[in-house]
Amino acid sequence: MRVPRVACVGAGYWGANLVRTFHALGALHRVVEVDETLRQGLALRYPAATVTGDLLDALTDPAVDAVAIATPAATHADVVRRALRAGKDVFVEKPLCLSAAEGEELVRLAEAEGRILMVGHLLHYHPAIRRLKQLVAEGELGRIQYITAERVSLGRFRREESVLWSLGPHDVSVVLWLMGEEPVRVRGQGSAFLQPGVADVHAAALTFRGGATAYLLFSWLHPFKQQRLTVVGDRCMAVFTDTEPEYKLLLFPSGADWQDGRPVPRKGEPVPVAYDTEEPLLAECRHFLECVEARRTPETDGREALAVLRVLEACQPGPQIRFPDAFVHESSYVDEDVDIGPGTTVWHFSHILRGSSIGPGCRIGQNVVIGPNVRVGAGVKVQNNVSVYEGVELEDDVFCGPSVVFTNVHNPRSHTPRMHAMRRTLVRRGATLGANATIVCGVTIGEHAFVGAGAVVTRDVPDHALVLGNPARVAGWVCRCGSRIAFSEGAVTGRCTACGQAYRLVEGRVVRG
């Protein structure tokens, strides 16, 4: 198999390691380095490679199959873009670039050009981390409860990007890999003590579906160097310490047991975990060459890097809410233990309280309150100024018009707590609640029922019923499409006036067919 020929762009602090490794793999063809002193040393050390200070030389060289980029992070986007447009496969050190929007553009460009795009998230290729991933996948740790990651040291201070963007990609990438998903909520806070606007300490919390949380700490203003990742499961715990000379991965059979209704600690001695000893950078560079040769998608491809960029952006100071494939307006607030499905939008000044679940494809309007502990199905539309309180459930495809009112206690008093007396309200699939309707608690509104504007519902509403007035009474019947069902006087069969669907009256209820 022919080894792809690589041009390494940037041979400084970390780039020198890429030059060394691609040379060891027999792939080094060119080196591009702007520092003349470094170029002289590289030419002596790697006489078989062409050393130049001009990127264009490498991009226009037909013998170069791929480009490995280790320039400052602020230049990544431009160099990656130029390399892809020159028809070269690309390996770029982390981060892919410094914004998710620019990352999306680079990923689309690589796909349009049919080029390999791989990002240097090195820990993916560390044999101890790969073994840890295997332990998690096999359920050895049980259900993951939380992860902590510390990456701290004294120096190297950067001026081009903050500590979050310099050190964060490593651990964010690994956490997303271990969890197998993006977080639903991200909060972060950074502090700049040395250089205005460049944070040298940053902490972040990532919350995932099901409640698992990752706590991350990055600093280059710390008295000692520490690179540690701890994964706590409900069966046992694992600790990866990259700064340890041996026993980098330990398994602790520790946790909590329950006795007499109380949690008690279960402590166990750490057990070293065996793993391969291949150098991570060698494995990473070999993987890139194999992907170039076989035209195979790398493990840490552009899409994986894009997920990391989205999390890094959300870690910027101030609370930001992130739900994969959902939209939450920045003026709205979503509590910690909330699930929002893909395709759902939550608009201005709304609040989704703890324990609530909103299905996919929903539209939540302005000034809406949902929760706590409320379930909203798929495809639901809740218009402006609606509060869906605990005890209310909306099934799939329910429509709540503007200013619909739900109650959850039948006889409320300000001075007498009555939350223990909540009555359940269920709005069944496909029902419509007109503007300003009031739904008194303890009722069920049937499938595809239609509650007219301003109606006050005090009792159960049958399937397909049209109810009007105060108190609401059955005034006709509606099809699932929303139009009236026409029944002849005294007849038990009828049809929708719009779509022609046939219905029957059976003991005062409407059924299809």
Coordinates of all heavy atoms in Angstrom, one line a residue, residues 254-315:
S254 N -16.0 1.2 43.9 CA -16.6 2.1 45.0 C -17.9 2.7 44.6 O -18.2 2.7 43.4 CB -15.6 3.2 45.4 OG -14.3 2.7 45.7
G255 N -18.7 3.1 45.5 CA -19.9 3.7 45.2 C -20.8 3.9 46.5 O -20.2 4.1 47.6
A256 N -22.1 3.8 46.4 CA -23.0 3.9 47.5 C -24.0 2.7 47.5 O -24.5 2.4 46.5 CB -23.7 5.2 47.4
D257 N -24.2 2.2 48.7 CA -25.2 1.1 48.9 C -26.2 1.7 49.8 O -26.0 2.7 50.5 CB -24.6 -0.1 49.5 CG -23.6 -0.8 48.6 OD1 -23.9 -0.8 47.4 OD2 -22.6 -1.3 49.1
W258 N -27.4 1.1 49.8 CA -28.5 1.5 50.7 C -28.7 0.6 51.8 O -28.9 -0.6 51.6 CB -29.8 1.7 49.8 CG -29.7 2.9 48.9 CD1 -29.1 2.9 47.7 CD2 -30.1 4.2 49.1 NE1 -29.2 4.1 47.1 CE2 -29.8 5.0 48.0 CE3 -30.8 4.8 50.2 CZ2 -30.1 6.3 47.9 CZ3 -31.1 6.2 50.1 CH2 -30.8 6.9 48.9
Q259 N -28.8 1.1 53.0 CA -29.0 0.3 54.2 C -30.1 1.1 55.1 O -29.8 2.3 55.4 CB -27.8 0.1 55.0 CG -26.7 -0.8 54.3 CD -25.5 -0.9 55.1 OE1 -25.4 -0.6 56.3 NE2 -24.5 -1.5 54.5
D260 N -31.2 0.4 55.4 CA -32.2 1.0 56.2 C -32.7 2.4 55.6 O -32.9 3.3 56.3 CB -31.7 1.2 57.6 CG -31.3 -0.1 58.3 OD1 -32.0 -1.1 58.0 OD2 -30.4 0.0 59.1
G261 N -32.7 2.4 54.3 CA -33.2 3.6 53.6 C -32.3 4.7 53.5 O -32.6 5.8 53.1
R262 N -31.0 4.5 53.8 CA -30.0 5.5 53.8 C -28.8 5.1 52.9 O -28.4 3.9 53.0 CB -29.5 5.9 55.2 CG -30.5 6.5 56.1 CD -29.9 6.8 57.4 NE -30.9 7.5 58.3 CZ -30.6 7.9 59.5 NH1 -29.3 7.8 60.0 NH2 -31.5 8.5 60.3
P263 N -28.2 6.0 52.2 CA -27.0 5.7 51.4 C -25.8 5.6 52.3 O -25.6 6.5 53.2 CB -26.9 6.8 50.4 CG -27.5 8.0 51.1 CD -28.6 7.4 51.9
V264 N -25.0 4.6 52.1 CA -23.7 4.4 52.9 C -22.6 4.2 51.8 O -22.8 3.5 50.8 CB -23.8 3.2 53.9 CG1 -24.8 3.5 54.9 CG2 -24.1 1.9 53.2
P265 N -21.4 4.7 52.1 CA -20.3 4.6 51.1 C -19.8 3.1 51.0 O -19.8 2.4 52.0 CB -19.3 5.5 51.7 CG -19.5 5.6 53.1 CD -21.0 5.5 53.3
R266 N -19.5 2.7 49.8 CA -18.9 1.4 49.6 C -17.5 1.7 49.0 O -17.4 2.3 47.9 CB -19.7 0.6 48.6 CG -19.1 -0.8 48.2 CD -19.9 -1.5 47.2 NE -19.7 -0.9 45.9 CZ -20.6 -0.2 45.2 NH1 -21.8 0.0 45.8 NH2 -20.4 0.2 44.0
K267 N -16.4 1.4 49.7 CA -15.1 1.7 49.3 C -14.3 0.5 48.9 O -14.5 -0.6 49.5 CB -14.4 2.5 50.5 CG -15.0 3.8 50.9 CD -14.3 4.5 52.0 CE -14.9 5.8 52.4 NZ -14.2 6.4 53.5
G268 N -13.5 0.6 47.9 CA -12.7 -0.5 47.4 C -11.4 -0.1 47.0 O -11.2 1.1 46.6
E269 N -10.4 -0.9 47.0 CA -9.1 -0.6 46.5 C -9.0 -0.5 45.0 O -9.7 -1.2 44.3 CB -8.1 -1.7 47.0 CG -7.9 -1.7 48.5 CD -7.3 -0.4 49.0 OE1 -6.4 0.1 48.4 OE2 -7.8 0.0 50.1
P270 N -8.3 0.5 44.5 CA -8.2 0.7 43.1 C -7.5 -0.5 42.4 O -6.6 -1.1 42.9 CB -7.4 2.0 42.9 CG -6.6 2.1 44.2 CD -7.5 1.5 45.2
V271 N -8.0 -0.8 41.2 CA -7.5 -1.9 40.4 C -6.9 -1.3 39.1 O -7.7 -0.7 38.3 CB -8.6 -3.0 40.1 CG1 -8.0 -4.1 39.2 CG2 -9.2 -3.5 41.4
P272 N -5.6 -1.5 38.8 CA -5.1 -1.0 37.6 C -5.7 -1.8 36.4 O -5.9 -3.0 36.4 CB -3.6 -1.3 37.7 CG -3.3 -1.5 39.1 CD -4.6 -2.1 39.7
V273 N -6.0 -1.0 35.3 CA -6.6 -1.6 34.1 C -5.5 -1.7 33.0 O -4.8 -0.7 32.7 CB -7.8 -0.7 33.6 CG1 -8.4 -1.3 32.4 CG2 -8.8 -0.6 34.7
A274 N -5.4 -2.8 32.5 CA -4.4 -3.1 31.4 C -4.9 -2.5 30.1 O -6.1 -2.5 29.8 CB -4.2 -4.6 31.2
Y275 N -4.0 -2.0 29.3 CA -4.3 -1.4 28.0 C -3.0 -1.4 27.1 O -1.9 -1.6 27.6 CB -4.9 0.0 28.0 CG -4.0 0.9 28.8 CD1 -3.0 1.6 28.2 CD2 -4.3 1.2 30.2 CE1 -2.2 2.5 29.0 CE2 -3.5 2.1 30.9 CZ -2.5 2.7 30.3 OH -1.7 3.6 31.0
D276 N -3.2 -1.2 25.8 CA -2.0 -1.2 24.9 C -1.2 0.0 25.3 O -1.6 1.0 25.9 CB -2.5 -1.1 23.5 CG -3.2 -2.4 23.0 OD1 -3.0 -3.4 23.6 OD2 -4.1 -2.3 22.1
T277 N 0.1 0.0 24.8 CA 1.0 1.0 25.1 C 1.5 1.9 23.9 O 2.5 2.6 24.0 CB 2.2 0.4 25.9 OG1 2.8 -0.5 25.0 CG2 1.8 -0.2 27.2
E278 N 0.8 1.8 22.8 CA 1.2 2.6 21.7 C 1.1 4.1 21.9 O 0.2 4.6 22.6 CB 0.3 2.2 20.5 CG 0.7 2.9 19.2 CD -0.1 2.5 18.0 OE1 -1.3 2.2 18.1 OE2 0.4 2.5 16.9
E279 N 2.0 4.8 21.4 CA 2.0 6.3 21.6 C 0.7 6.8 20.9 O 0.5 6.6 19.7 CB 3.2 6.9 20.9 CG 3.3 8.4 21.0 CD 4.3 9.1 20.1 OE1 5.0 8.3 19.3 OE2 4.4 10.3 20.1
P280 N 0.0 7.7 21.6 CA -1.3 8.2 21.1 C -1.1 8.9 19.7 O -1.9 8.8 18.8 CB -1.8 9.1 22.2 CG -1.2 8.5 23.4 CD 0.1 8.0 23.0
L281 N -0.1 9.8 19.7 CA 0.1 10.6 18.5 C 0.4 9.7 17.3 O 0.0 9.9 16.1 CB 1.2 11.6 18.7 CG 1.5 12.6 17.5 CD1 0.2 13.3 17.2 CD2 2.6 13.5 17.8
L282 N 1.2 8.6 17.5 CA 1.5 7.7 16.4 C 0.2 7.0 15.9 O 0.0 6.9 14.7 CB 2.5 6.6 16.9 CG 3.0 5.7 15.8 CD1 3.8 6.4 14.8 CD2 3.8 4.5 16.5
A283 N -0.6 6.6 16.9 CA -1.9 6.0 16.5 C -2.8 7.0 15.7 O -3.5 6.6 14.8 CB -2.6 5.5 17.7
E284 N -2.8 8.2 16.2 CA -3.7 9.2 15.5 C -3.2 9.5 14.1 O -4.0 9.5 13.2 CB -3.6 10.5 16.4 CG -4.5 11.6 15.8 CD -4.3 12.9 16.7 OE1 -3.2 13.3 16.9 OE2 -5.4 13.4 17.1
C285 N -1.9 9.7 13.9 CA -1.4 10.0 12.6 C -1.5 8.8 11.6 O -1.9 9.0 10.5 CB 0.1 10.4 12.7 SG 0.3 12.0 13.5
R286 N -1.3 7.6 12.2 CA -1.5 6.4 11.3 C -3.0 6.3 10.9 O -3.3 5.9 9.8 CB -1.1 5.1 12.1 CG -1.3 3.9 11.3 CD -1.1 2.6 12.0 NE 0.3 2.5 12.4 CZ 0.7 2.5 13.7 NH1 -0.2 2.6 14.7 NH2 2.0 2.4 14.0
H287 N -3.9 6.6 11.8 CA -5.3 6.5 11.5 C -5.7 7.5 10.4 O -6.4 7.2 9.5 CB -6.2 6.9 12.8 CG -7.6 6.9 12.5 ND1 -8.4 5.8 12.3 CD2 -8.5 7.9 12.6 CE1 -9.6 6.1 12.1 NE2 -9.8 7.4 12.3
F288 N -5.1 8.7 10.4 CA -5.3 9.7 9.4 C -4.8 9.1 8.0 O -5.5 9.2 7.0 CB -4.6 11.0 9.7 CG -4.7 12.0 8.6 CD1 -5.9 12.6 8.2 CD2 -3.5 12.4 7.9 CE1 -6.0 13.5 7.2 CE2 -3.6 13.4 6.9 CZ -4.8 13.9 6.5
L289 N -3.6 8.6 8.0 CA -3.1 8.1 6.7 C -4.0 6.9 6.2 O -4.2 6.8 5.0 CB -1.7 7.6 7.0 CG -0.6 8.7 7.3 CD1 0.7 8.0 7.6 CD2 -0.5 9.7 6.2
E290 N -4.4 6.1 7.1 CA -5.3 5.0 6.7 C -6.6 5.5 6.1 O -7.1 4.9 5.1 CB -5.6 4.0 7.9 CG -4.3 3.2 8.3 CD -4.6 2.5 9.6 OE1 -5.6 2.8 10.3 OE2 -3.7 1.7 10.0
C291 N -7.2 6.5 6.7 CA -8.4 7.1 6.2 C -8.2 7.8 4.9 O -9.1 7.7 4.0 CB -9.0 8.1 7.2 SG -9.6 7.4 8.7
V292 N -7.1 8.4 4.7 CA -6.8 9.0 3.4 C -6.6 8.0 2.3 O -7.2 8.1 1.2 CB -5.5 9.9 3.5 CG1 -5.0 10.3 2.1 CG2 -5.7 11.1 4.3
E293 N -5.9 6.9 2.6 CA -5.7 5.8 1.6 C -7.0 5.1 1.3 O -7.3 4.8 0.2 CB -4.7 4.8 2.2 CG -4.3 3.7 1.2 CD -3.7 4.2 -0.1 OE1 -3.1 5.4 -0.1 OE2 -3.8 3.5 -1.1
A294 N -7.8 4.8 2.3 CA -9.0 4.0 2.1 C -10.3 4.8 1.9 O -11.3 4.3 1.7 CB -9.3 3.1 3.4
R295 N -10.1 6.2 1.9 CA -11.2 7.1 1.8 C -12.3 6.8 2.8 O -13.5 6.6 2.5 CB -11.8 7.1 0.4 CG -10.8 7.2 -0.8 CD -9.8 8.3 -0.6 NE -10.4 9.6 -0.5 CZ -9.8 10.7 -0.1 NH1 -8.5 10.6 0.3 NH2 -10.4 11.9 -0.1
R296 N -11.9 6.7 4.0 CA -12.7 6.3 5.1 C -12.9 7.5 6.1 O -12.0 8.3 6.3 CB -12.1 5.1 5.9 CG -13.0 4.5 6.9 CD -12.5 3.2 7.5 NE -11.3 3.5 8.3 CZ -10.1 2.9 8.2 NH1 -9.9 2.2 7.1 NH2 -9.1 3.2 9.0
T297 N -14.1 7.7 6.7 CA -14.3 8.8 7.6 C -13.5 8.6 8.9 O -13.6 7.5 9.5 CB -15.8 8.9 7.9 OG1 -16.6 9.1 6.7 CG2 -16.1 10.0 8.9
P298 N -12.8 9.5 9.3 CA -12.0 9.4 10.6 C -12.9 9.4 11.8 O -14.0 9.8 11.8 CB -11.1 10.6 10.6 CG -11.1 11.2 9.2 CD -12.4 10.8 8.6
E299 N -12.4 8.8 12.9 CA -13.1 8.8 14.1 C -13.4 10.3 14.6 O -14.5 10.6 15.1 CB -12.4 8.1 15.2 CG -12.4 6.6 15.1 CD -11.8 5.9 16.3 OE1 -11.9 6.5 17.4 OE2 -11.3 4.8 16.2
T300 N -12.4 11.1 14.5 CA -12.5 12.5 14.9 C -12.6 13.4 13.6 O -11.7 14.1 13.3 CB -11.4 12.9 15.8 OG1 -10.1 12.6 15.1 CG2 -11.4 12.2 17.1
D301 N -13.7 13.2 12.9 CA -13.9 13.9 11.7 C -14.5 15.3 11.9 O -14.6 15.7 13.0 CB -14.8 13.1 10.7 CG -16.2 13.0 11.2 OD1 -16.5 13.2 12.4 OD2 -17.1 12.8 10.4
G302 N -14.8 16.0 10.8 CA -15.3 17.3 11.0 C -16.6 17.4 11.7 O -16.8 18.4 12.5
R303 N -17.5 16.5 11.6 CA -18.8 16.5 12.3 C -18.5 16.3 13.8 O -19.2 17.0 14.6 CB -19.7 15.4 11.8 CG -20.2 15.6 10.4 CD -21.2 16.7 10.4 NE -21.6 17.1 9.0 CZ -22.3 18.2 8.7 NH1 -22.7 19.0 9.7 NH2 -22.6 18.5 7.5
E304 N -17.6 15.4 14.2 CA -17.3 15.3 15.6 C -16.7 16.6 16.1 O -17.1 17.0 17.3 CB -16.3 14.1 15.8 CG -16.1 13.7 17.2 CD -14.9 14.5 17.9 OE1 -14.1 15.0 17.1 OE2 -14.8 14.5 19.1
A305 N -15.8 17.2 15.4 CA -15.2 18.4 15.8 C -16.3 19.5 15.9 O -16.2 20.4 16.8 CB -14.1 18.8 14.8
L306 N -17.3 19.5 15.0 CA -18.3 20.5 15.1 C -19.1 20.4 16.3 O -19.5 21.5 16.9 CB -19.2 20.4 13.8 CG -20.2 21.5 13.5 CD1 -19.5 22.8 13.4 CD2 -20.9 21.2 12.2
A307 N -19.4 19.2 16.8 CA -20.1 19.1 18.1 C -19.3 19.7 19.2 O -19.8 20.3 20.1 CB -20.4 17.6 18.3
V308 N -18.0 19.5 19.2 CA -17.1 20.0 20.2 C -17.2 21.6 20.2 O -17.3 22.2 21.2 CB -15.7 19.5 20.0 CG1 -14.7 20.3 21.0 CG2 -15.6 18.0 20.3
L309 N -17.1 22.1 19.0 CA -17.2 23.6 18.8 C -18.5 24.2 19.4 O -18.5 25.2 20.0 CB -17.1 24.0 17.4 CG -15.7 23.8 16.7 CD1 -15.8 24.3 15.2 CD2 -14.6 24.5 17.4
R310 N -19.6 23.4 19.2 CA -20.9 23.9 19.7 C -20.9 24.0 21.2 O -21.4 24.9 21.8 CB -22.0 23.0 19.2 CG -22.4 23.2 17.7 CD -23.7 22.6 17.4 NE -23.6 21.1 17.4 CZ -23.4 20.4 16.3 NH1 -23.3 21.0 15.1 NH2 -23.4 19.1 16.4
V311 N -20.3 22.9 21.8 CA -20.2 22.9 23.3 C -19.3 24.0 23.8 O -19.6 24.7 24.7 CB -19.7 21.6 23.8 CG1 -19.5 21.6 25.3 CG2 -20.8 20.5 23.5
L312 N -18.1 24.2 23.1 CA -17.2 25.3 23.5 C -17.9 26.7 23.5 O -17.7 27.5 24.4 CB -15.9 25.2 22.7 CG -15.0 24.0 22.9 CD1 -13.9 24.1 21.8 CD2 -14.4 24.0 24.3
E313 N -18.6 26.9 22.4 CA -19.3 28.2 22.3 C -20.3 28.3 23.4 O -20.5 29.4 24.0 CB -20.0 28.3 20.9 CG -19.1 28.7 19.8 CD -19.8 29.2 18.6 OE1 -21.0 28.9 18.5 OE2 -19.2 29.7 17.7
A314 N -21.0 27.3 23.7 CA -22.0 27.3 24.8 C -21.4 27.5 26.2 O -22.1 27.9 27.1 CB -22.9 26.1 24.8
C315 N -20.1 27.1 26.3 CA -19.4 27.3 27.6 C -19.0 28.7 27.8 O -18.4 29.0 28.9 CB -18.2 26.4 27.6 SG -18.5 24.7 27.9

